[in-house]
Amino acid sequence: MESTHRTRSRIRGVAMWLLLPRLKAPLIALIIAYSVSILGLVLIPGQEPGGGVYYLSFLDAFFVVSYTATTIGFGEIPHPFTAQQKMWMLFVMYSTVIAWLYAIGSVLSVISDPGFRRLRAYQRTVGRIQAHKQPFWIVCGYGGAGNQVIRFMDESGIRSVMIESNQTRADTAKLSDMTYDLDVLVGDASEPQTLVDAGVQSALCRGVLALTDHNQTNLTIATNTRILAPRVLVHARSESDANTRNLRSFNTDVVIDPARVAARSLTQLIRKPRAFALYHELVDPDFNQIEILNVPDSGHWVVCAGDRLGDNITEAFLRAEIPFCLVSPEVSTIADSITWVQGLGTEANTLRQARITEAVGIVAGTNDDGDNLSILLTAQTENERLITVARRNKPTSEPVFRQGNFHYVLREGRIIAQEMYARITTPLLHQFIGQLEVMPEALVQGIIEKLNQRLGNQSPDLAHFDISLDAEDAPGVLPFLNTARGPKVADLLVDPGADHLNMPLICLLLVRFNGDLVPFPGEGLLLEENDRMLLWGAAGSHHRLHLLIRRADLFDSVLSSRRKTAG
């Protein structure tokens, strides 16, 4: 509360110091106009009806000047004015009206000043943040990654507070289609006070996402958060190995290097297409179906990239033993151990040197969208059977890349958002993804086939969720654990309806209380108290499952029915 009061007082103080200097001259003009007008009325003699002389008191003079300046006009009091008084009143009328117009115009100028309006908007936003009643994450930077991640989190019911230094981006963020009014602070996220104003020290703040386009800014955000709120999680974007090492040196919770993630994703696409499809369905709310891309096992790839992405793809392909030819303007640091062609890849001759007609696929990964489109169109002219992978750098280029019907598009912002989303929404999801990277492709195929069996002929949208077998999530299951009727994984995947049909769900991961991981557990595995389970299947199935595990009578009915059927 003390911190909140200090923040409000500081912002009000800044607003007053911005307002007062601009009103200094108008206030002086008003004071001078009133003072001279009052003094003149006091000194000029008046005439009573009987012919006597009288002088206005300072109070009477102030009263006359006040109703004259405000154009109310009560008349000539206490007696009709003399010619001298009337002449002076003409001066009073014009001087005070002009002074008031000057003052009012100055006030309106200050109020309409963009800086003052931004400060007031900032103050109102801070007030709304301090009034939050629900947990939230602070997202620093409304670029491609920030835009995607707040949308992904919103679809999972997680609120965000945005910090953006660019006014145009901030205005765009305020207009984003969200289920709640997004609070956007226009300021420098690397400034500690901005983080404090955004609520980093609030008990409701769950974490900070440093997603700006600058490594040093993200590093500063992470260090400031570690000191200001040590309990708060910090997820940071990094685009250099040195910055990644720096972030990890003080235990930043999550560091995402989009170039490395993209290279890993490409390797997975080529070597493990089913794991690739499952990964993207789980981490991207926009993917609600499994779409497997059939990639030929043999044949080489042409990689057109020259920056960090090209270096990371080269390293990843060498580790995965994927044959490829690198096309880049500059000599690679490991050119002696790879096939390399100098050029951009936008010309047919360069691609022919890379044996494009014999290639199975091409990666257009330069940092220019126009070049990437040119590379792909040229390559498709030479070889229509190519698997095409495009890198999209600017969000404004999205309509072209969407219309291009390329097999896979690397969107840096989306890549970062997917990785962040996997760690924020469902804690077990990130653990499963770690298992998925080393899981044999045959086992992944078995997972997908198992779900298809449960779905039958239906093709619903897919979703994942997690449950815990504890008193809060599953009070209906606890009484049966560690008994002769001990439930198994399969017993949780039964619809509590009268027919007790199998629900369109499978268990992807089970985590024991002691931390042991059981990827894709068998349906006959006995359940234990405090087990945590990651489930995947038809969207909406979680409602039926939650009904089952919360009611002991329904779960008892399911167990009895299954034991009777088995007997």
Side-chain angles (χ1 to χ4, degrees):
M1 289 298 294
E2 184 180 350
S3 174
T4 299
H5 177 71
R6 285 200 304 267
T7 298
R8 289 177 177 173
S9 300
R10 175 183 59 81
I11 296 176
R12 289 195 190 102
V14 173
M16 290 302 297
W17 279 111
L18 183 63
L19 183 64
L20 289 177
R22 301 279 293 274
L23 297 181
K24 181 179 179 181
L27 288 174
I28 291 175
L30 274 175
I31 292 170
I32 291 175
Y34 268 69
S35 299
V36 172
S37 299
I38 292 170
L39 183 61
L41 284 177
V42 169
L43 296 177
I44 297 174
Q47 187 175 5
E48 296 176 342
V53 176
Y54 76 93
Y55 290 90
L56 290 175
S57 67
F58 278 99
L59 178 60
D60 290 337
F62 178 68
F63 180 66
V64 171
V65 171
S66 296
Y67 71 63
T68 301
T70 55
T71 69
I72 295 173
F74 280 155
E76 300 173 4
I77 57 172
H79 305 294
F81 288 162
T82 63
Q84 293 90 340
Q85 286 177 314
K86 289 179 180 180
M87 288 297 295
W88 185 251
M89 284 303 298
L90 287 174
F91 168 78
V92 172
M93 293 178 198
Y94 289 110
S95 62
T96 54
V97 168
I98 291 172
W100 271 113
L101 289 175
Y102 177 37
I104 293 172
S106 298
V107 171
L108 293 176
S109 175
V110 172
I111 293 174
S112 62
D113 179 81
F116 184 79
R117 294 176 66 180
R118 284 195 295 268
L119 184 60
R120 291 292 297 156
Y122 189 96
Q123 182 182 20
R124 288 192 295 269
T125 303
V126 171
R128 287 196 302 270
I129 293 171
Q130 292 169 349
H132 275 190
K133 303 297 183 183
Q134 298 182 29
F136 61 90
W137 285 71
I138 298 174
V139 181
C140 304
Y142 188 77
N147 175 19
Q148 292 286 349
V149 77
I150 64 170
R151 185 172 64 83
F152 286 177
M153 291 196 295
D154 182 41
E155 292 183 11
S156 295
I158 301 173
R159 292 187 171 235
S160 306
V161 169
M162 174 66 65
I163 301 177
E164 174 55 56
S165 59
N166 183 281
Q167 184 66 53
T168 302
R169 283 186 174 183
D171 291 340
T172 304
K174 292 175 184 177
L175 296 174
S176 56
D177 186 16
M178 310 283 285
T179 59
Y180 61 96
D181 292 331
L182 178 66
D183 291 317
V184 183
L185 281 181
V186 183
D188 185 356
S190 64
E191 293 291 335
Q193 188 60 54
T194 307
L195 288 172
V196 173
D197 292 343
V200 73
Q201 294 178 321
S202 168
L204 296 173
C205 181
R206 295 294 180 261
V208 175
L209 306 183
L211 302 177
T212 73
D213 298 328
H214 306 286
N215 281 333
Q216 189 60 40
T217 301
N218 293 335
L219 176 64
T220 304
I221 292 169
T223 54
N224 289 343
T225 303
R226 270 283 169 261
I227 296 171
L228 292 171
R231 64 169 185 80
V232 170
L233 296 173
V234 182
H235 296 188
R237 167 186 183 176
S238 175
E239 296 191 16
S240 76
D241 294 337
N243 194 60
T244 298
R245 290 192 296 270
N246 199 344
L247 285 164
R248 286 176 174 160
S249 67
F250 54 88
N251 299 321
T252 301
D253 298 282
V254 176
V255 181
I256 304 296
D257 184 337
R260 290 192 175 277
V261 175
R264 184 195 69 199
S265 185
L266 281 176
T267 304
Q268 192 178 52
L269 169 68
I270 297 169
R271 288 295 188 230
K272 296 181 176 181
R274 291 167 181 79
F276 174 87
L278 178 56
Y279 167 83
H280 280 83
E281 197 288 318
L282 291 173
V283 303
D284 196 320
D286 292 338
F287 288 90
N288 298 317
Q289 298 288 334
I290 289 287
E291 299 178 2
I292 301 173
L293 178 63
N294 293 318
V295 181
D297 296 330
S298 59
H300 76 282
W301 283 71
V302 177
V303 179
C304 302
D307 53 6
R308 285 191 71 247
L309 178 61
D311 293 339
N312 280 280
I313 292 176
T314 298
E315 294 175 7
F317 278 22
L318 287 173
R319 283 196 302 269
E321 298 181 350
I322 299 172
F324 70 99
C325 175
L326 178 65
V327 178
S328 65
E330 299 178 358
V331 180
S332 172
T333 55
I334 53 174
D336 294 339
S337 59
I338 64 172
T339 304
W340 173 69
V341 174
Q342 187 171 18
L344 280 175
T346 54
E347 298 180 3
N349 185 51
T350 305
L351 294 177
R352 289 173 189 145
Q353 293 180 49
R355 297 182 295 122
I356 190 65
T357 56
E358 305 169 21
V360 65
I362 184 169
V363 179
T366 73
N367 56 12
D368 184 273
D369 288 339
D371 286 342
N372 291 336
L373 293 170
S374 176
I375 290 168
L376 293 173
L377 293 176
T378 304
Q380 287 176 324
T381 302
E382 298 291 319
N383 185 348
E384 296 180 353
R385 302 182 305 277
L386 284 171
I387 302 294
T388 51
V389 177
R391 176 186 180 183
R392 192 218 66 190
N393 297 276
K394 298 179 179 179
T396 52
S397 301
E398 179 61 26
V400 181
F401 283 87
R402 189 187 302 117
Q403 192 67 27
N405 294 321
F406 305 121
H407 292 95
Y408 180 48
V409 179
L410 293 169
R411 300 172 176 88
E412 184 175 287
R414 199 178 196 93
I415 288 171
I416 297 170
Q418 289 171 343
E419 289 288 312
M420 297 289 188
Y421 176 77
R423 291 164 169 81
I424 293 171
T425 52
T426 309
L428 297 186
L429 179 57
H430 177 57
Q431 292 178 286
F432 176 74
I433 289 172
Q435 297 292 316
L436 185 62
E437 291 180 6
V438 297
M439 194 176 291
E441 187 74 348
L443 179 55
V444 178
Q445 176 65 20
I447 293 174
I448 296 173
E449 289 178 353
K450 183 66 176 178
L451 179 62
N452 287 334
Q453 290 175 8
R454 284 186 166 263
L455 292 176
N457 297 324
Q458 301 178 354
S459 298
D461 288 344
L462 303 177
H464 65 272
F465 60 96
D466 64 335
I467 61 170
S468 297
L469 300 185
D470 54 26
E472 181 179 355
D473 271 9
V477 178
L478 293 187
F480 303 95
L481 298 175
N482 302 318
T483 67
R485 302 173 65 194
K488 302 175 182 178
V489 171
D491 297 327
L492 289 184
L493 307 179
V494 177
D495 192 287
D499 296 331
H500 295 156
L501 301 175
N502 287 332
M503 280 194 284
L505 286 173
I506 61 172
C507 182
L508 295 177
L509 179 69
L510 185 144
V511 181
R512 295 293 191 189
F513 184 67
N514 62 4
D516 289 346
L517 302 180
V518 186
F520 193 42
E523 294 187 354
L525 181 68
L526 282 172
L527 299 173
E528 299 177 3
E529 187 172 357
N530 293 313
D531 280 348
R532 292 181 297 154
M533 304 172 68
L534 175 66
L535 297 134
W536 177 51
S541 300
H542 63 287
H543 296 299
R544 303 294 291 172
L545 179 59
H546 284 151
L547 176 64
L548 174 66
I549 63 178
R550 289 179 182 275
R551 290 182 52 178
D553 59 328
L554 291 178
F555 195 66
D556 179 52
S557 174
V558 166
L559 288 179
S560 300
S561 174
R562 289 181 59 81
R563 298 300 182 268
K564 183 177 180 181
T565 302

